[in-house]
Amino acid sequence: MNHPRMASIGEFDPLHSTVPATKIEVSVSCRNLLDMDTFSKSDPGSNLSFFFFVQFGRTEMIDNTLNPDFVRKFVLDFFFEEKQNLRFDVYNVDTRSSNISKHDFLGQTFCTLGEIIGSDGNNCVTKYYILSLNGRTLWISAVSSSCFSSGIPGKKCGTIIFTAEELSNCRDIATMQLCANKLDKKDFFGKSDPFLVFYRSNEDGTFTICHKTEVVKNTLNPVWQPFTIPVRALCNGDYDRTVKVDVFDWDRDGSHDFIGEFTTSYREFSRGQSQFNVYEVLNPKKKGKKKKYVNSGTVRSTVVATAVVLCTQLNFTVAIDFTASNGNPSQPTSLHYMNPYQMNMYAMALKAVGEIIQDYDSDKLFPAYGFGAKLPPDGKISHAFPLNSNTDDPNCVGIEGVLEVYFQSLRSVQLYGPTNFAPVINQVARSAKEVTDGSQYFVLLMITDGVISDMVQTKEAVVNAASLPMSIIIVGVGPAEFDAMEELDGDEVRVSSRGRYAERDIVQFVPFRDYIDRSGNQVLSMARLAKDVLAEIPDQLLSYMKSRGIEPRPALPNTNNSQSLSLRI
C-alpha cells in the first residue's frame, strides 16, 4: 500500500471569494472508546463533516483497539474571519460497506476549527468528550488538554484528541525502504510479526503518527516493501525535526508487543540515498533492567527522494453503465432520465470529473464507451461500445462532446445487461500498455448503478492494469448497495487475482449519494465529488513512475497552449 492519503477538505464553497489564511492539518486520536465487538475490541474509524455537516473525509479503519491513533489526516483551509463548524463521528466498522448505516455508531463531537487551533499551549492539542444517551447524541463538552469537566449527563463514550499544525509549502516526496536484523522474539510459537510506526515530533515533546508499514509475518529479519510518503508528513518541511520510529510485533487481538524504538530526522534519513543508514532498536525498559543489554535489533533504511517537475500527459476515458437496472430513460425515476432542466447523476459525475481532468489533456479528445446495452440494428449486447458509434475513432471533442453522444446513445440503444467491467478496463489497458515511458498516464472514469457481474474477470483486469500507467475511478450512482466495489478500492487490502496481488492501488470508488448537496445545489455536489475522486490520482501516478524507475524530464516548451500535469517527485 502506498502512503496514506490525506483527507483533503479545502474550501467548502467553490464560489467563495475569501482567500484562506493557511492550510491546517488535523490529526485525530481516540481514547477509551466503547467496546462494541463481542469477541474482540472495536474497529474504529472517524468521519469528518464540515460546516452544514456534509461528509468531507474519513480516516482509515484500525483493527481491534479502543485507543486508535489514525494515520490519515484531515487538511482544512483555515479562514480566520469565519466560524468553521466541524463534526466528528466515530464508528465501529463491521463490514467493507461504505454505507455508514451498516456500522455501529460509537459517538460524535462538535467543535470549530478555531477551537482546535486556539487551544492552550503551542502544540494545539485539544481533547473532547464523546457522549451519547439512549442512542441519542447530546452536545459534546469541549475542554482543554489540561483539564476535564465533570457532571456531564449521559454515557461517556470516550475521548477524541485533535492535534493541529499549519502546513508548510514543502512538496518533496520520499520513497523509502527499511529492513531489520535480529529483532527480539515475541511470539511463543513463532518468531515475531514486525511492523514499523513513524511519528513526527511536536513542540511540547509529544509525537504525532504519520505512517505505518505493513506487517511481515514470522521473522526476526523483516524486509518491508518500499513506500512513498510526502516529506511534509514526516517533518512538515523541517529536515532536522525529530522523527521517531517504533518497532512492534503484531498480534491479532490488537495488543501489539513493543520491540523497541529509534529516533532520527529526515535529513539523516536522506543521507542514505546511496547506502543504508543503520539504527539500533532500543527498548528503554529492557535497557534499565539488564546491565548487559545491547539492543533489540537493528533497522537499516535507504531513501530515494527527488524534487523536480515531471510533465505527463493525462489521457481521459469515460465508460457509462447502460444496463436496464437504471430504468427507462424517458421516465423521471430513471437514473438516465433526460430532464430538460437539470442534469442527471451520470451527467453530473461526468461533467464534475471531466472538466478538471481535461485541463491536463492537450488535445481535449476523450474516448467514450458504454457497456451493458443492446446495439442496433441486430440487438447484439456490447460491454465496450463507442458512444459515437465509430469503432475506429471513439474520441469525443471535450466533455460537452461526451455529454452529447451520451444523450444520443440513450435514444438509440436498448438498456440491457449484465454489468461487466473487465472489457472496458482491458480496452484502456491495451492503450496504456503502448506508452510506458512516463510521458502519458491513463485515467478511466466508470459510472455505474449496480453490482459488478464479472467480478472475477474485473479483479484480474485490475491486477494486470496496476502494472501500467493507469488509474480507475468508479462512481456509483443511485440507491444500490456497492459493497463489492470496496473490494476493488485497495486502500485497506490490495486487490488480488489467482494468487497475484496488484502492484499498486489504482482504483478509487465513491458513491455519488455521499456528495449530494441537501439544498439541491448541483455545483456544490459536483465540486465535492471531483475533489474526492481525483485526490488519489497524483499519488497513483507518482507510484507508477517510482516503481518503474522513470526519471523526471524537464518540461517541454509550450508551443500549442497545451497543459501537462506538473508534479514534484
Side-chain angles (χ1 to χ4, degrees), residues 32-284:
N32 304 316
L33 295 177
L34 286 177
D35 191 353
M36 303 295 286
D37 292 341
T38 304
F39 299 107
S40 64
K41 297 183 176 65
S42 293
D43 307 318
S46 175
N47 297 327
L48 170 58
S49 301
F50 190 52
F51 199 47
F52 290 117
F53 306 127
V54 177
Q55 181 181 301
F56 269 79
R58 296 184 184 182
T59 67
E60 76 279 14
M61 182 269 289
I62 301 179
D63 287 328
N64 295 329
T65 180
L66 305 180
N67 302 288
D69 296 309
F70 296 105
V71 174
R72 189 174 296 167
K73 317 296 183 184
F74 298 108
V75 178
L76 300 86
D77 286 334
F78 173 57
F79 299 88
F80 177 78
E81 71 280 10
E82 294 183 11
K83 183 176 183 180
Q84 295 173 268
N85 297 300
L86 307 176
R87 189 186 82 198
F88 290 83
D89 296 343
V90 184
Y91 288 85
N92 174 40
V93 180
D94 290 324
T95 70
R96 289 174 178 260
S97 175
S98 61
N99 188 342
I100 288 298
S101 65
K102 300 291 185 181
H103 308 298
D104 297 326
F105 176 72
L106 296 181
Q108 66 182 184
T109 189
F110 298 82
C111 62
T112 66
L113 182 55
E115 286 177 313
I116 295 177
I117 296 173
S119 60
D120 292 338
N122 296 324
N123 58 318
C124 291
V125 177
T126 308
K127 293 184 180 179
Y128 291 80
Y129 282 135
I130 306 171
L131 299 180
S132 66
L133 180 63
N134 297 329
R136 296 184 179 181
T137 303
L138 297 180
W139 179 258
I140 309 305
S141 177
V143 297
S144 71
S145 59
S146 59
C147 65
F148 294 87
S149 58
S150 60
I152 302 175
K155 186 177 182 180
K156 183 176 179 181
C157 299
T159 305
I160 188 165
I161 305 170
F162 304 122
T163 305
E165 182 170 352
E166 179 181 351
L167 285 178
S168 71
N169 291 321
C170 177
R171 293 292 186 269
D172 292 353
I173 300 290
T175 296
M176 308 177 67
Q177 181 165 23
L178 296 96
C179 58
N181 188 43
K182 296 181 179 179
L183 296 177
D184 286 350
K185 179 180 178 298
K186 291 291 185 178
D187 293 341
F188 186 77
F189 293 107
K191 297 178 182 178
S192 288
D193 305 317
F195 68 96
L196 303 176
V197 182
F198 290 72
Y199 305 85
R200 67 168 183 256
S201 61
N202 300 317
E203 291 182 6
D204 66 344
T206 61
F207 290 88
T208 299
I209 189 171
C210 55
H211 182 73
K212 286 183 183 178
T213 68
E214 79 280 9
V215 177
V216 182
K217 292 292 188 69
N218 196 31
T219 179
L220 304 181
N221 303 293
V223 178
W224 289 281
Q225 291 294 319
F227 62 90
T228 301
I229 185 172
V231 173
R232 191 166 69 176
L234 277 175
C235 62
N236 203 17
D238 180 359
Y239 282 21
D240 296 311
R241 185 170 178 172
T242 298
V243 175
K244 183 166 75 80
V245 181
D246 286 352
V247 186
F248 287 96
D249 166 48
W250 177 85
D251 287 328
R252 186 178 300 275
D253 62 2
S255 58
H256 310 307
D257 300 317
F258 179 70
I259 295 176
E261 65 185 13
F262 64 90
T263 59
T264 182
S265 66
Y266 179 69
R267 189 179 303 280
E268 188 174 341
F269 265 137
S270 61
R271 291 194 183 111
Q273 292 194 33
S274 58
Q275 60 184 4
F276 279 97
N277 289 324
V278 181
Y279 303 96
E280 281 194 304
V281 177
L282 300 177
N283 188 318

